[in-house]
Amino acid sequence: MTTQLGLPDDIQACLFDLDGVVTRTAVVHAAAWKETFDAFLREREGEAFRPFTDSDYDQYVDGRPRADGVRTFLASRGIELPEGDPDDPPDAQTVNGVGNRKNALLLQRIRTDGVQAYPGSLRYIEAVRAGGLRTAIVSSSANTVDVLRSIDAERLFDVRIDGVVARERGLPGKPHPDTFLAAARDLGVEPRRAAVFEDALAGMDAGRSGRFGYVVGVDRVGQSDALYAHGADRVVTDLAELGGRA
Ligand SMILES: O=P(O)(O)OC[C@H]1O[C@@H](O)[C@H](O)[C@@H](O)[C@@H]1O
């Protein structure tokens, strides 16, 4: 069965990232981050500020937990902010304040435009489950449950390790492998028998350092070379390319 799914035949479980793999929300996150960071930098540095770019998103923010994204990007510009508190207002000059601003913009965009799933991903996940493999959703996003519910896809995953669960369990986020490892453990499957599906470079790094059996890079933005460089065994532009049709 696994060969019909485009996977090595000893794979028993599939661990899927959410944003950019299952749903078209990676671009929504990227747009909310750009709006947040450009406003922050403009206020701090005046009109001569250097805008937040796609490459900044890919390198420093994509796939990481919210606060890690704020810290990592600002550090790349030589800026360090106090942590602040989780309920800091969106205009607070703290890591939490900047993160809260971005989350408000993200939720606004999701409310206005809704969430779209990738049909090829939903079909592939159904085929994986029909083939008797177990599935997990492994996302840094604290909005995972709401996003999955909005497309009625919670039922597709036996296990969920998201931003909320990671915080509760004290798991470091991607690029560390801990959230994927926790998902494999909860499914009762050894990492070498699990496949990781990721679109973010930080997620590739997590797949490689966790020594998972197979790592699929999902290239939605033309970064196939970078996905291979960060450890992908195979890169596809849509999960339908892997197979999965009965
Ligand atoms: O802010 P959230 O919804 O908790 O998401 C955290 C991160 O989740 C990841 O899935 C996205 O790639 C990042 O862009 C995002 O910052």
Side-chain angles (χ1 to χ4, degrees):
M1 181 64 212
T2 40
T3 43
Q4 288 168 38
L5 296 166
L7 300 173
D9 52 16
D10 55 352
I11 293 295
Q12 299 168 346
C14 292
L15 317 179
F16 297 94
D17 173 49
L18 174 69
D19 301 301
V21 171
V22 180
T23 54
R24 292 182 195 272
T25 40
V27 283
V28 190
H29 279 280
W33 280 121
K34 178 160 176 63
E35 196 176 334
T36 303
F37 283 133
D38 280 354
F40 174 88
L41 293 168
R42 186 180 285 115
E43 192 181 324
R44 203 177 158 100
E45 293 165 7
E47 279 311 314
F49 81 103
R50 203 150 43 86
F52 180 77
T53 65
D54 288 350
S55 154
D56 288 326
Y57 182 69
D58 295 342
Q59 280 189 71
Y60 305 122
V61 180
D62 194 13
R64 297 171 197 261
R66 194 183 305 163
D68 290 356
V70 174
R71 278 188 226 101
T72 313
F73 168 65
L74 292 181
S76 80
R77 300 289 178 100
I79 301 170
E80 197 182 327
L81 292 182
E83 284 298 301
D85 295 309
D87 54 0
D88 273 355
D91 57 352
Q93 300 291 306
T94 61
V95 169
N96 280 287
V98 173
N100 288 344
R101 170 89 188 125
K102 179 265 175 174
N103 197 46
L105 292 173
L106 175 82
L107 297 180
Q108 213 172 64
R109 282 169 188 267
I110 286 180
R111 259 193 308 271
T112 314
D113 302 335
V115 169
Q116 278 85 44
Y118 288 104
S121 296
L122 297 184
R123 279 196 302 272
Y124 183 77
I125 298 165
E126 299 272 15
V128 161
R129 293 174 66 81
L133 279 72
R134 311 208 67 209
T135 55
I137 192 86
V138 184
S139 170
S140 292
S141 176
N143 293 299
T144 296
V145 169
D146 289 340
V147 168
L148 285 179
R149 274 189 194 148
S150 72
I151 56 162
D152 190 26
E154 265 185 305
R155 65 194 167 78
L156 293 177
F157 304 100
D158 302 308
V159 157
R160 168 176 51 85
I161 305 289
D162 61 6
V164 176
V165 175
R167 198 166 41 225
E168 283 166 5
R169 296 198 198 173
L171 301 172
K174 306 168 191 178
H176 298 284
D178 303 57
T179 50
F180 282 115
L181 291 171
R185 200 176 314 117
D186 285 6
L187 289 172
V189 170
E190 288 174 48
R192 68 195 166 93
R193 302 264 190 257
V196 166
F197 298 76
E198 256 293 348
D199 67 321
L201 303 181
M204 291 289 102
D205 294 338
R208 174 157 63 185
S209 62
R211 297 173 185 274
F212 290 92
Y214 202 62
V215 179
V216 177
V218 185
D219 180 23
R220 309 285 190 191
V221 293
Q223 58 173 358
S224 158
D225 291 347
L227 290 167
Y228 278 119
H230 283 256
D233 293 303
R234 177 164 176 197
V235 174
V236 294
T237 56
D238 193 281
L239 296 192
E241 282 170 45
L242 291 166
R245 272 173 290 263

